[in-house]
Amino acid sequence: MSVLNVFPGADAVRFVVDTSAAVELAPGASSGFSVGLDLASHGASKIVPIVHAGALIAGRGNLFFLATVFGRMLCETDRSFDGLCDRLSAVCNESARAIASAAKSFGFEASADLGEVLMAGWSRERGRMRTVAVFGDPNRPMEPFDLDEPWVTP
């Protein structure tokens, strides 16, 4: 299990993550990298700066989901943190659909729990630091919510 803890405050947000990443074989699968990958594996916990918007994005969960979300958020052209918050829901939902489609094309079931994505930065609209969180559930729309209290990995 990976660690992802966040401690939001008005002037600073502190993330605590481990930086492990793993792709695990499904039980009973052969040892080939491209054969029998467990796409439901919860083997990643990462934190990435989104420099152009003065933001940090962190996640815990399915490696493929996190890599897709992080890559898409890094490519967003909005230079404001508030603008990225507005896009986070669409990016997470688009990424979940892409992961489900890719899993299906390889004969796998998509994970029912893709993990968590948290993003923090300075909100000009609010005049303080803001932290938003999304829980990756491909079976329902993923909507970000503000996180004002510490959140510690269960």
Side-chain angles (χ1 to χ4, degrees):
M1 191 55 81
S2 295
V3 173
L4 174 58
N5 302 334
V6 64
F7 302 93
D11 297 324
V13 176
R14 290 173 177 76
F15 283 96
V16 178
V17 299
D18 61 12
T19 55
S20 69
V23 177
E24 300 172 8
L25 291 175
S30 69
S31 61
F33 179 80
S34 62
V35 178
L37 292 178
D38 182 0
L39 294 180
S41 170
H42 285 74
S45 180
K46 297 290 181 204
I47 186 168
V48 176
I50 305 176
V51 178
H52 69 273
L56 289 175
I57 189 167
R60 178 181 88 108
N62 182 290
L63 177 62
F64 303 106
F65 176 67
L66 295 179
T68 304
V69 170
F70 290 176
R72 289 179 179 190
M73 291 303 289
L74 286 167
C75 292
E76 286 291 319
T77 57
D78 197 318
R79 295 193 171 275
S80 74
F81 174 72
D82 294 305
L84 289 183
C85 289
D86 293 341
R87 287 285 302 140
L88 186 59
S89 176
V91 167
C92 287
N93 285 296
E94 292 162 6
S95 298
R97 285 191 297 273
I99 296 303
S101 176
K104 186 176 179 180
S105 72
F106 287 103
F108 293 103
E109 292 289 324
S111 175
D113 177 15
L114 296 172
E116 300 92 35
V117 175
L118 288 83
M119 190 170 64
W122 182 259
S123 170
R124 287 189 181 140
E125 292 175 5
R126 297 174 185 214
R128 65 177 177 86
M129 294 296 286
R130 180 180 179 196
T131 305
V132 294
V134 173
F135 296 115
D137 180 352
N139 299 314
R140 60 187 175 100
M142 291 175 254
E143 294 295 330
F145 59 92
D146 283 283
L147 193 62
D148 295 318
E149 299 294 323
W151 189 80
V152 178
T153 303

